[in-house]
Amino acid sequence: MKEKLKPFLKPVLVMFAIYLIGISAIIIANVHYADDVARTNYGYAGWSAFSRYSSTALSHGIHADNYLTNIAPLPQILASLILAVTSVMMVCLVTSKEIFKEKWTKWILRLVAVTPLAFCPYMLECLSYQYDAVYMALSVFFAVMPFMFYRKKKWQFILASVIGILGACTTYQVSVGIYPMLMIFIVMKDWNENKIKNKEIIKNILIAIVVFVVTLLVFQMIIMRPKDIYVSNEIPGISEFFPSLFSHLGHYLELLFSDFRILWLVLIGIIALSFVAMFVIKSRRNKILATILALVGVAAMFVMSYLLYSALDKPLYTTRAMYAIGAFIAIISIYVVSGEKKGLFLAVPVVVLSWCFFSFSFTYGNALHEQDTFRNMQINMVISDINEIMNDGGTRKIQAIGQIDFAPAIKHMPEKDYLILRRLLKPSFETNVPWMAYRLTEGSGLPGLVYDPNVNLVNSDLPVLKDTALYIIYGDSDSILVKFKGEEFNIWED
């Protein structure tokens, strides 16, 4: 066993180093990202509410306690390691395990090609969480892992698939779409190489489909907790299913095309066309059929990035729900660079795109720090004002609404090119994410401030206590309402 794993040690360490360097700016920023605020203050897990039971169970082991203290950046480091292993697995699946027995110059380009799996801008949100990062990365591992048993006995692949699909569903459900994506590619590759009989290929397809569908049904009917808040895991009725599916899928694609820079989209388009060309060049089948299959296969893998979430009654449109596209880019990129030497020029757009994503990870990490500094400045100003207001030693309920604006360095960036950056930098206060108010209650340490999510002070007609250029404080002897004057930016629907 040790000798079998030895060839994979070096590429895993290389990917681990690349991923750690890539998220170094995020780690250095040391920002309590979204849910991290509440978990840092209260030490709870809470993932089981969204049927992520594996995340909850594993968290108590990783944190070595039932109370989850902030152990950052350990979860992000572990996430990098898991993604490194997963990346090497994906290279093995797209090309061959034997490649890592060759000289490093034979496989290094494939490692460059697989980096969008982690550095796709959507995945950067997952790696920003000081608590969740490791479980989100683990869900990607679960989605890829079953195919390492694809060439083994059928029962081994079936068992691995059940474990992998349930593992992904109970850590972070977005990754489930990577399973059918990889299945489509492997079936295409088997047909194209003409090394396996068509009858065997069809049998493998049927096995994978049945296992996938049955396992998801078991999860939905037995394991999953119904949820209907800012996201719903209910499925529309038959009459509404397809209109809803196409509407949601269309919105995901709109977001993708508005989030990604023109250069990124052009490069992805070139890589997709290069994939088709390479597929046809390598084909041992009829070239016309190979061309048709390549085009249909690329489209099907792309759609799988968002198909499963699109089937929900109320899907999640925030950036962390869209990272499966990184797996799609990684698969077609690895295949393109694994061609013959005469097609090496096709690797150029792959390398350029990987570099763009790698570079953007530093832009994002530094922007995260800028925004956190700017946000904390305003919050500290509000806390100072509230401290003066609450000089009677009483208790007051508090609510915060509006938005803290983007930091000047971020506002000066071309909005068209950096819209995704604004979506990644979550607003500070939002009515449907009330835990952000903990920044004022728990973070301030002021005695007497109480946040009650069941109380809405917006329509209370409270008198103005202080009006500044950045915020307004309303209040009386029982309540305080803080309204920030920053630009409204809705990450949940836009």
Side-chain angles (χ1 to χ4, degrees):
M1 178 63 74
K2 185 178 179 181
E3 289 301 316
K4 286 184 178 180
L5 294 177
K6 189 176 179 180
F8 305 105
L9 181 60
K10 185 182 292 184
V12 166
L13 291 177
V14 169
M15 292 309 299
F16 183 41
I18 290 172
Y19 288 159
L20 268 185
I21 294 170
I23 67 167
S24 60
I26 296 174
I27 291 174
I28 292 170
N30 193 30
V31 173
H32 294 339
Y33 191 84
D35 304 60
D36 292 337
V37 177
R39 288 195 171 97
T40 298
N41 282 303
Y42 290 102
Y44 68 90
W47 294 289
S48 295
F50 291 90
S51 307
R52 298 171 197 156
Y53 306 107
S54 296
S55 296
T56 299
L58 290 168
S59 67
H60 297 303
I62 291 174
H63 291 257
D65 199 352
N66 287 329
Y67 187 93
L68 307 185
T69 57
N70 191 331
I71 56 173
L74 180 57
Q76 291 153 306
I77 294 172
L78 291 175
S80 298
L81 180 58
I82 292 169
L83 287 172
V85 173
T86 308
S87 297
V88 172
M89 287 166 49
M90 188 169 280
V91 171
C92 292
L93 294 171
V94 175
T95 56
S96 168
K97 295 179 183 178
E98 303 301 315
I99 188 64
F100 292 115
K101 294 179 182 179
E102 303 286 340
K103 191 178 179 182
W104 69 271
T105 53
K106 297 285 187 179
W107 47 258
I108 191 64
L109 202 54
R110 289 168 171 81
L111 296 189
V112 172
V114 79
T115 55
L117 184 68
F119 292 145
C120 170
Y122 294 131
M123 190 65 188
L124 294 179
E125 171 171 351
C126 302
L127 296 172
S128 301
Y129 285 95
Q130 296 180 332
Y131 281 78
D132 304 59
V134 60
Y135 316 114
M136 290 173 164
L138 190 60
S139 72
V140 179
F141 169 85
F142 276 129
V144 175
M145 175 273 296
F147 295 97
M148 298 302 291
F149 298 86
Y150 184 75
R151 305 297 180 193
K152 299 185 182 296
K153 294 179 180 180
K154 291 290 186 288
W155 72 266
Q156 291 178 313
F157 174 64
I158 292 171
L159 179 60
S161 293
V162 171
I163 294 172
I165 294 166
L166 288 178
C169 286
T170 55
T171 46
Y172 202 68
Q173 293 88 0
V174 175
S175 297
V176 174
I178 298 174
Y179 181 96
M181 189 189 300
L182 268 172
M183 187 65 217
I184 291 169
F185 171 79
I186 290 173
V187 168
M188 288 172 60
K189 186 169 178 278
D190 284 348
W191 179 88
N192 208 43
E193 293 176 348
N194 202 14
K195 293 179 180 179
I196 300 175
K197 293 181 180 179
N198 289 343
K199 186 178 179 180
E200 185 67 18
I201 292 174
I202 294 171
K203 184 179 178 181
N204 291 338
I205 293 172
L206 292 175
I207 289 173
I209 291 174
V210 170
V211 172
F212 183 68
V213 173
V214 170
T215 307
L216 284 183
L217 286 174
V218 169
F219 173 73
Q220 184 194 23
M221 294 187 294
I222 300 175
I223 302 173
M224 185 181 75
R225 289 185 180 181
K227 206 74 179 175
D228 189 7
I229 43 176
Y230 61 84
V231 61
S232 171
N233 52 22
E234 297 294 325
I235 297 176
I238 296 175
S239 61
E240 301 174 356
F241 180 77
F242 286 104
S244 174
L245 175 72
F246 293 128
S247 174
H248 295 155
L249 187 59
H251 193 44
Y252 274 121
L253 297 182
E254 286 176 13
L255 285 172
L256 175 66
F257 282 97
S258 63
D259 285 340
F260 276 23
R261 300 178 66 181
I262 295 296
L263 175 61
W264 300 353
L265 293 171
V266 169
L267 289 170
I268 293 169
I270 293 172
I271 294 168
L273 291 175
S274 300
F275 175 91
V276 173
M278 189 64 68
F279 190 84
V280 175
I281 290 169
K282 288 184 173 184
S283 181
R284 297 181 180 179
R285 303 272 192 165
N286 180 282
K287 298 296 184 182
I288 295 176
L289 290 177
T291 303
I292 294 171
L293 180 61
L295 291 170
V296 172
V298 166
M301 286 190 290
F302 176 72
V303 168
M304 282 300 161
S305 302
Y306 306 116
L307 186 66
L308 295 178
Y309 254 40
S310 296
L312 299 178
D313 185 45
K314 191 195 299 181
L316 186 63
Y317 291 118
T318 189
T319 48
R320 68 176 180 275
M322 299 178 66
Y323 66 76
I325 190 69
F328 165 74
I329 297 170
I331 290 169
I332 62 174
S333 295
I334 298 165
Y335 190 79
V336 167
V337 301
S338 62
E340 302 296 329
K341 286 185 178 180
K342 59 185 178 182
L344 198 59
F345 69 94
L346 295 176
V348 174
V350 172
V351 174
V352 173
L353 181 64
S354 294
W355 177 257
C356 286
F357 284 170
F358 182 70
S359 176
F360 180 80
S361 69
F362 293 94
T363 298
Y364 167 64
N366 290 324
L368 200 61
H369 173 72
E370 289 286 338
Q371 184 63 20
D372 192 56
T373 301
F374 188 70
R375 175 175 54 217
N376 288 338
M377 176 197 72
Q378 293 197 37
I379 289 175
N380 289 336
M381 291 169 65
V382 170
I383 290 170
S384 177
D385 288 337
I386 293 177
N387 182 46
E388 293 181 7
I389 293 168
M390 293 183 60
N391 56 8
D392 56 0
T395 299
R396 288 175 174 82
K397 295 175 182 177
I398 187 169
Q399 183 179 1
I401 60 172
Q403 303 288 356
I404 291 179
D405 217 338
F406 291 108
I410 296 162
K411 293 194 76 171
H412 295 158
M413 295 179 183
E415 185 175 343
K416 187 177 179 182
D417 288 339
Y418 291 96
L419 179 61
I420 190 171
L421 189 64
R422 296 187 175 210
R423 292 224 302 143
L424 285 165
L425 299 171
K426 295 188 175 298
S428 301
F429 301 99
E430 189 73 38
T431 54
N432 57 0
V433 280
W435 37 257
M436 278 297 190
Y438 296 153
R439 293 183 183 276
L440 289 174
T441 54
E442 307 302 320
S444 68
L446 287 177
L449 278 183
V450 178
Y451 174 70
D452 184 351
N454 298 315
V455 175
N456 189 348
L457 302 175
V458 176
N459 300 318
S460 299
D461 197 27
L462 297 169
V464 175
L465 301 181
K466 187 155 189 175
D467 190 349
T468 73
L470 300 174
Y471 55 84
I472 305 173
I473 299 178
Y474 304 87
D476 56 22
S477 59
D478 298 314
S479 308
I480 290 179
L481 174 66
V482 181
K483 181 179 181 180
F484 289 94
K485 297 181 178 180
E487 174 188 356
E488 291 291 332
F489 189 77
N490 190 348
I491 65 162
W492 303 104
E493 297 295 339
D494 290 345

